[in-house]
Amino acid sequence: MKKLNVTIELEMSVPDDWELVSTSEGSPVLKLPNGVFMDIAIEPLFASDPEEIWSSTEEETVLNDILDMVESEAVTYEFVTH
């Protein structure tokens, strides 16, 4: 088995009322105005409390709205060798 590092860099235009907050573990997440927190991993993840369970959205329009905000995307792949 070998390791693969994947770096995803997105540039997005987002509403002015979105905020960057930290969880109790220090992980940055986005606070949306409707009381929902969002983390973007391989796909956007949502929670009503950043300390609880995160899940993807089942609403296709929500996912499409988020993806429409992406202005550019860069993905790099690198195998780690020792």
Side-chain angles (χ1 to χ4, degrees):
M1 202 56 108
K2 56 186 172 184
K3 289 196 181 236
L4 173 65
N5 286 344
V6 179
T7 303
I8 301 172
E9 185 176 322
L10 300 176
E11 183 175 311
M12 301 174 67
S13 292
V14 300
D16 290 333
D17 53 0
W18 285 23
E19 297 176 48
L20 188 59
V21 298
S22 293
T23 65
S24 61
E25 296 175 348
S27 300
V29 295
L30 292 164
K31 182 179 180 188
L32 308 185
N34 57 357
V36 173
F37 296 85
M38 182 175 73
D39 185 18
I40 299 177
I42 292 175
E43 63 177 308
L45 300 174
F46 299 88
S48 58
D49 182 332
E51 305 301 327
E52 299 296 325
I53 296 174
W54 291 81
S55 63
S56 60
T57 182
E58 304 235 344
E59 297 178 38
E60 193 171 312
T61 55
V62 171
L63 180 58
N64 286 337
D65 288 347
I66 298 297
L67 293 176
D68 285 345
M69 295 177 193
V70 175
E71 293 181 358
S72 67
E73 175 183 353
V75 179
T76 59
Y77 299 90
E78 176 185 12
F79 283 111
V80 178
T81 57
H82 298 277

